[in-house]
Amino acid sequence: MGVFQPRGGFDWFIGKVNILFASTEVTPFAKTGGLADVSGSLPKALSGISCQVKVIMPFYKSVKAMGMRLTPFSVGEFNFLKYKEGDIEYIFVSNDGYYERDNLYSEPHGDYPDNYLRFSYFSRSIASYATGSDFKPDVINCNDWQTGLVPLYLKIKNKNIKTLFTIHNIGYQGLFKKDAFDEIGIPRKFYTVDGIEYYGKVSFLKAGIVYSSAISTVSKGYKREIMTPEFGCGMDGILRTRGSDVYGILNGVDYSEWDPEKDKHIAESYNSDRIEKKAECKKDLVKSVNMPAETLKRPLIGVISRLAEQKGIDLIVEAAEEIIKLGASIIILGTGDEKYNSLCSGIASQHPGYISSHITFDNALAHKIEAGCDMFIMPSRYEPCGLNQLYSLKYGTLPIVRATGGLDDTIVDLSSDKDGGNGIKFRNATKNDMLDAVSRAIELYKDKSEWQKILKRIMKQDFSWKTSAFQYKKLYESLL
Ligand code: ADP
């Protein structure tokens, strides 16, 4: 821990803050969505501003397959493997019975039934590592329900380590049957309305909210939203009881991964001064997904998404025919719920040549889509932060977004601010509102010189971790 000097305010904390960053997905080791991007890049940004950060995650099959040289060690009953890259040490929790599986959380037909065991074990191992190893964290930054029990295990152990519980998506709550309680090593006295009981079940997310030192989420807009019944997914009341301990810090972009100037996955590198090269990326994309050459003359709209109800994919499917009539083509990359997987495949087979659908997880194709498309659409019903709209800005791919959460915070509609706007925004999650936004984008696209001017401007916007990492650091320090 650093040295305190009595000067007042947050900035009197001198020296390194030790952070244990706990997450169940971290790029480049394991990823299903934005949490992995954040867990891969925020620790690096923090280590550049006087934090010593260790990242702890499960030792999944995908990590094992990477074949790094790892050093094993144990703390009590728990086995770990460590690996250092740059300034960051990665601590992998080893338990093949729990983590040596094809997916992180679920199979196509549903969640793994023993997730309560898999992630309570993960949380217990984090608490043991934090209290029993050489590393003495000042703050443990827990992320999402899978790490929600960490503050409670610390409390049970009588260890006063500060915890920040970061909510990346309140729709996922780690809700399990009451019987699970007996298998996760938590005394019965915590099974109360003020504890981790939630309508007759056990909620790992609620444990994180109730027992952590502070709570954060990934944009200011989403912070406000989750305190309301409409977006709180039943947790708004509990969050309001912790009102003054809840913070919103916008996610940043890792521009070492997402920058068309350095991107190794795309056909030609470009930036705002060489934007004409973006056309080569479109050609390459269209060719690689076998769309007809005519697509090059049409505005091409990209979608990269987990296919879940949250993402409003059904609106795109409903509006697909009209979007094609407006003159655009669509490329979809996503995977998730069976229902949306088949909706997306179905719409592509109904409109061959105009809609190309890829039901898979493919990072290289995601980069090609960001670079090769003209527009990117996110009709989310709710969106805690959203990263692809920020990647799209950097790639000169105009974002069309629904005004919610982080999308609303980061995108300014061009019609309300012609010189400062950076995308097209619509209010309601309806087909008509979305179509109106798409048609406004297509109209803009027709004026080539104006279009180029807008793209050059939005590509220069900076959504790096610079500001947000500093806000995290200040928040950690305020807990000490
Ligand atoms: P969420 O975390 O809700 O899934 P975000 O927009 O915050 O949404 O982050 C999604 C991240 O996952 C982005 O980096 C996006 O490119 C990536 N992604 C989502 N689906 C796929 C896919 N099918 N293939 C490759 N990358 C994907």
Side-chain angles (χ1 to χ4, degrees):
M1 204 204 279
V3 179
F4 286 93
Q5 301 218 334
R7 273 193 270 131
F10 290 147
D11 53 354
W12 43 274
F13 187 85
I14 313 257
K16 290 214 171 201
V17 195
N18 289 342
I19 305 298
L20 182 60
F21 196 90
S23 175
T24 49
E25 44 186 287
V26 182
T27 49
F29 306 109
K31 169 167 173 172
T32 69
L35 171 60
D37 297 27
V38 172
S39 307
S41 54
L42 172 58
K44 289 181 194 157
L46 286 168
S47 80
I49 51 169
S50 306
C51 294
Q52 195 191 348
V53 191
K54 298 200 190 230
V55 176
I56 187 162
M57 68 177 289
F59 189 53
Y60 298 115
K61 195 172 180 179
S62 64
V63 187
K64 208 179 242 189
M66 289 172 79
M68 294 108 46
R69 273 177 77 119
L70 302 162
T71 312
F73 66 101
S74 324
V75 177
E77 65 188 286
F78 298 98
N79 296 318
F80 303 90
L81 297 152
K82 62 183 175 184
Y83 169 70
K84 183 136 195 216
E85 195 175 89
D87 293 329
I88 310 285
E89 188 162 66
Y90 297 91
I91 311 293
F92 298 105
V93 176
S94 172
N95 182 324
D96 285 353
Y98 286 154
Y99 308 129
E100 171 94 25
R101 302 191 187 176
D102 288 339
N103 301 299
L104 305 196
Y105 315 120
S106 57
E107 291 175 302
H109 55 270
D111 288 348
Y112 290 125
D114 59 350
N115 274 349
Y116 67 101
L117 294 173
R118 300 174 72 222
F119 298 113
S120 60
Y121 182 90
F122 180 51
S123 296
R124 250 183 302 140
S125 69
I126 294 164
S128 283
Y129 175 78
T131 53
S133 74
D134 297 343
F135 185 60
K136 305 286 173 229
D138 297 313
V139 178
I140 307 176
N141 194 158
C142 301
N143 292 279
D144 278 350
W145 71 263
Q146 293 90 340
T147 56
L149 294 180
V150 173
L152 182 51
Y153 285 131
L154 291 170
K155 186 179 169 70
I156 293 166
K157 277 171 169 282
N158 241 329
K159 299 287 183 186
N160 183 24
I161 300 180
K162 302 295 178 190
T163 48
L164 173 66
F165 183 59
T166 303
I167 299 171
H168 296 260
N169 190 330
I170 205 157
Y172 297 84
Q173 304 192 340
L175 205 55
F176 301 103
K177 59 186 179 356
K178 186 182 163 193
D179 303 349
F181 205 83
D182 300 323
E183 299 173 65
I184 59 177
I186 292 175
R188 278 267 158 176
K189 67 174 184 194
F190 294 102
Y191 188 71
T192 64
V193 269
D194 301 328
I196 72 170
E197 187 266 343
Y198 187 77
Y199 294 102
K201 292 189 171 177
V202 172
S203 166
F204 287 20
L205 181 88
K206 190 182 170 201
I209 296 173
V210 171
Y211 296 108
S212 56
S213 317
I215 298 135
S216 72
T217 187
V218 291
S219 68
K220 291 212 167 10
Y222 193 59
K223 179 209 141 178
R224 281 191 302 274
E225 286 175 354
I226 58 177
M227 308 276 228
T228 67
E230 188 186 352
F231 291 97
C233 297
M235 291 289 166
D236 47 293
I238 298 151
L239 274 169
R240 284 195 301 272
T241 64
R242 299 232 36 203
S244 58
D245 298 325
V246 186
Y247 299 83
I249 304 177
L250 190 72
N251 285 338
V253 173
D254 179 359
Y255 288 124
S256 69
E257 266 299 304
W258 294 96
D259 178 351
E261 222 178 337
K262 304 180 214 145
D263 193 327
K264 55 187 186 306
H265 301 291
I266 64 176
E268 282 275 352
S269 65
Y270 63 95
N271 58 26
S272 56
D273 295 326
R274 281 182 287 120
I275 198 168
E276 63 288 350
K277 298 278 184 199
K278 186 170 163 67
E280 296 302 316
C281 298
K282 185 170 181 181
K283 261 191 215 158
D284 174 61
L285 172 66
V286 163
K287 195 165 158 225
S288 66
V289 299
N290 282 319
M291 289 180 94
E294 192 220 334
T295 315
L296 299 175
K297 296 196 206 109
R298 300 167 65 90
L300 181 56
I301 305 177
V303 178
I304 305 169
S305 182
R306 278 185 303 108
L307 299 182
E309 202 211 337
Q310 172 205 344
K311 301 292 184 178
I313 300 299
D314 48 315
L315 298 178
I316 299 172
V317 172
E318 256 182 77
E321 192 165 339
E322 279 144 286
I323 293 175
I324 294 168
K325 282 195 190 130
L326 286 169
S329 300
I330 305 173
I331 175 161
I332 304 172
L333 169 63
T335 174
D337 297 355
E338 218 33 72
K339 174 180 160 193
Y340 298 106
N341 292 354
S342 57
L343 273 178
C344 290
S345 312
I347 199 74
S349 56
Q350 281 169 36
H351 301 284
Y354 294 108
I355 301 183
S356 173
S357 176
H358 305 265
I359 307 303
T360 177
F361 193 93
D362 184 338
N363 185 47
L365 183 56
H367 283 253
K368 278 178 188 282
I369 291 174
E370 281 293 0
C373 286
D374 302 293
M375 303 162 188
F376 192 94
I377 190 159
M378 299 176 79
S380 305
R381 295 209 157 75
Y382 70 91
E383 193 59 75
C385 175
L387 289 169
N388 279 110
Q389 83 280 17
L390 304 179
Y391 302 157
S392 296
L393 292 172
K394 190 68 178 174
Y395 283 75
T397 304
L398 195 78
I400 304 170
V401 306
R402 166 139 193 268
T404 181
L407 297 176
D408 201 17
D409 284 4
T410 54
I411 301 302
V412 177
D413 194 286
L414 280 155
S415 61
S416 65
D417 186 350
K418 189 169 153 287
D419 300 316
N422 59 2
I424 304 282
K425 220 153 65 162
F426 59 99
R427 275 283 137 211
N428 301 306
T430 61
K431 178 177 122 181
N432 284 347
D433 269 29
M434 190 190 76
L435 267 175
D436 175 66
V438 171
S439 85
R440 282 194 285 135
I442 293 174
E443 276 312 304
L444 270 181
Y445 178 83
K446 288 179 185 158
D447 183 345
K448 291 289 171 232
S449 80
E450 183 60 22
W451 184 256
Q452 296 274 315
K453 236 168 67 191
I454 294 169
L455 299 191
K456 277 174 183 268
R457 186 162 50 74
I458 66 175
M459 287 176 76
K460 291 190 188 123
Q461 292 194 320
D462 181 3
F463 283 95
S464 66
W465 273 108
K466 239 184 305 180
T467 312
S468 298
F470 192 68
Q471 287 171 358
Y472 269 96
K473 185 174 178 232
K474 274 174 89 166
L475 178 50
Y476 298 144
E477 288 170 355
S478 74
L479 303 179
L480 301 177

